[in-house]
């Protein structure tokens, strides 16, 4: 009897321990762990290719998708790489004294963080014999060292400063570096096809930089479209109550989950205009009003979002709710002409409790996936059949054209592009 009592006590103790551990883990997931999502959405919009077929592997499916892309009419596309600031890394990806290979804007780049903590970005190939500095390269103070012959280039001056057993070094050898700005957990570079110096800088959000607003998480997507299609979605307010009205519980498309929640819907109104400040011509402003409507009668969950489009690829979305304020930072970076890397990071005030931050990021991931299904398959029409309600889109295109210049890369309208899914490891 005594042994049975001890065994029973041990079983109860073990059960209680498991329950407490699971509860603690659940609370950690809900109230502490940042949201972290990666989705390769380049296949959205191609769901119909299956037609009941089962593919042996992903390569076979991607092959058919690329066949569709080769037949796709792309239209008279704008240049694929506008001038401006673009996020090429997230700060935590580049620790002190480490080197990273970076592909962005059709370029092969190398990034490193020196002993001082400062970040540098340069062309990837050593001007000596062409070795890739991001593959085996090392950091020496603020310099990057070539893995092939040990040549060292200074991140500040671009100069070659050291060659093993050679003194003096050739004074004319340099490594091209790019202007770098780091904030919000992103490493940005300034890209300008004419090699002009930065004419503007990304905005600073004091609440984020000071640490007053809390980091709630991130999401990252791959999109097979031209970069201009993504910000053009903002002034296209007419699409909001068509594409984004159904609840996020329905998923990417209304029938995706086989469950239809028709008793409530999202309702949107929005306005868009370029910033009238002559010193901020690189910025456009949008205000979005959102609420949920139950049974077409009861309105609740009102949210106001002030959207700042900063240059061609940076968006700051300021949330204001009854629970507090926050900012969703979106960065769109072209990897190649029709492949975009889209990254979101969300910060909010302490009163905006962590579970709500997770809900914002989750909801944004579903809503943007609905747009991506369309972006992946649409054609760019330089002269579309506008209605008078589309005047914001016309204004947007005029505003966005400032980020292209004389030598911006042009694309052949008859060319076909794959999205790169066969070349990148997702």
């Amino acid at each position: 009897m005594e042994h049975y009592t001890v065994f029973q006590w041990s079983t109860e103790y073990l059960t209680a321990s498991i329950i407490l551990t699971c509860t603690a883990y659940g609370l950690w997931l809900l109230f502490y762990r940042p949201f972290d999502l990666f989705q390769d959405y380049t296949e959205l919009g191609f769901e119909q290719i299956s037609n009941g077929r089962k593919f042996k592997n992903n390569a076979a499916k991607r092959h058919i998708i690329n066949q569709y892309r080769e037949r796709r009419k792309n239209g008279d596309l704008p240049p694929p790489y506008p001038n401006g600031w673009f996020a090429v890394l997230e700060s935590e990806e580049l620790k002190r004294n480490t080197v990273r290979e970076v592909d962005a804007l059709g370029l092969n780049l190398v990034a490193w963080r020196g002993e001082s903590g400062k970040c540098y970005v340069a062309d990837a190939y050593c001007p000596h014999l062409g070795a890739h500095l991001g593959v085996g390269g090392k950091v020496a103070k603020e310099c990057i060292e070539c893995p092939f012959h040990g040549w060292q280039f200074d991140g500040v001056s671009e100069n070659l400063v050291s060659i093993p057993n050679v003194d003096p070094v050739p004074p004319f050898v340099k490594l091209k570096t790019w202007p770098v700005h780091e904030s919000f957990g992103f490493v940005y570079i300034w890209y300008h096809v004419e090699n002009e110096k930065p004419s503007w800088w990304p905005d600073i959000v004091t609440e984020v930089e000071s640490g007053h607003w809390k980091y709630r998480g991130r999401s990252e997507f791959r999109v097979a479209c031209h970069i201009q299609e993504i910000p053009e979605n903002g002034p296209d307010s007419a699409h909001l109550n068509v594409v984004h009205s159904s609840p996020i519980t329905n998923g990417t498309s209304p029938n995706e989950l086989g469950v239809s929640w028709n008793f409530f819907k999202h309702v949107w109104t929005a306005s868009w205009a370029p910033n009238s400040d002559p010193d901020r011509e690189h910025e456009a402003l949008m205000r979005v009003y959102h609420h949920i409507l139950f049974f077409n009668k009861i309105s609740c969950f009102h949210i106001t979002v002030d959207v700042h489009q900063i240059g061609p690829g940076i968006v700051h979305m300021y949330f204001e709710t009854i629970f507090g304020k926050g900012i969703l930072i979106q960065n769109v970076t072209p990897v190649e002409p029709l492949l975009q890397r889209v990254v979101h990071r969300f910060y909010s005030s302490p009163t905006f409790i962590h579970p709500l931050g997770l809900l914002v990021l989750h909801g944004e991931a579903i809503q943007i996936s609905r747009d991506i299904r369309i972006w992946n398959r649409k054609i760019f029409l330089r002269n579309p059949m506008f209605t008078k309600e589309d005047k914001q889109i016309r204004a947007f295109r005029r505003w966005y054209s400032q980020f292209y210049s004389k030598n911006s890369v042009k694309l052949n309208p008859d060319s076909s592009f794959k999205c790169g899914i066969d070349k990148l490891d997702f």
Side-chain angles (χ1 to χ4, degrees), residues 45-77:
F46 293 90
E47 296 85 355
Q48 78 282 357
I49 70 170
S50 297
N51 289 328
R53 292 178 295 178
K54 291 185 178 180
F55 296 98
K56 293 181 179 180
N57 50 51
N58 286 334
K61 183 178 180 180
R62 290 177 176 180
H63 174 69
I64 293 178
I65 289 175
N66 272 328
Q67 287 182 326
Y68 271 75
R69 289 197 175 93
E70 289 169 0
R71 294 192 293 268
R72 173 183 176 179
K73 303 289 186 181
N74 293 301
D76 188 7
L77 290 167

Side-chain angles (χ1 to χ4, degrees), residues 244-313:
H244 302 292
S245 62
S246 61
I248 61 173
T249 51
N250 287 3
T252 298
S253 61
N255 298 320
E256 179 186 6
L257 302 180
V259 177
S260 180
W261 299 68
N262 295 322
F263 61 91
F264 74 98
K265 63 181 179 180
H266 300 277
V267 180
W268 311 81
T269 56
S271 61
W272 182 96
N275 195 324
S276 59
D277 186 339
D279 294 327
R280 299 190 64 83
E281 292 181 348
H282 62 276
E283 182 179 66
L285 305 174
M286 182 177 180
R287 173 160 284 192
V288 180
Y289 300 97
H290 165 269
H291 67 271
I292 292 179
L293 191 64
F294 287 89
F295 305 107
N296 288 323
K297 294 181 180 180
I298 304 172
S299 175
C300 58
F301 298 110
H302 291 251
I303 298 176
T304 301
V305 185
D306 285 311
V307 183
H308 296 223
Q309 173 78 43
I310 305 165

Side-chain angles (χ1 to χ4, degrees), residues 84 121 206 248 255 273 368 389 419:
V121 178
T206 305
I248 61 173
N255 298 320
I368 196 173
E389 287 78 15
C419 74

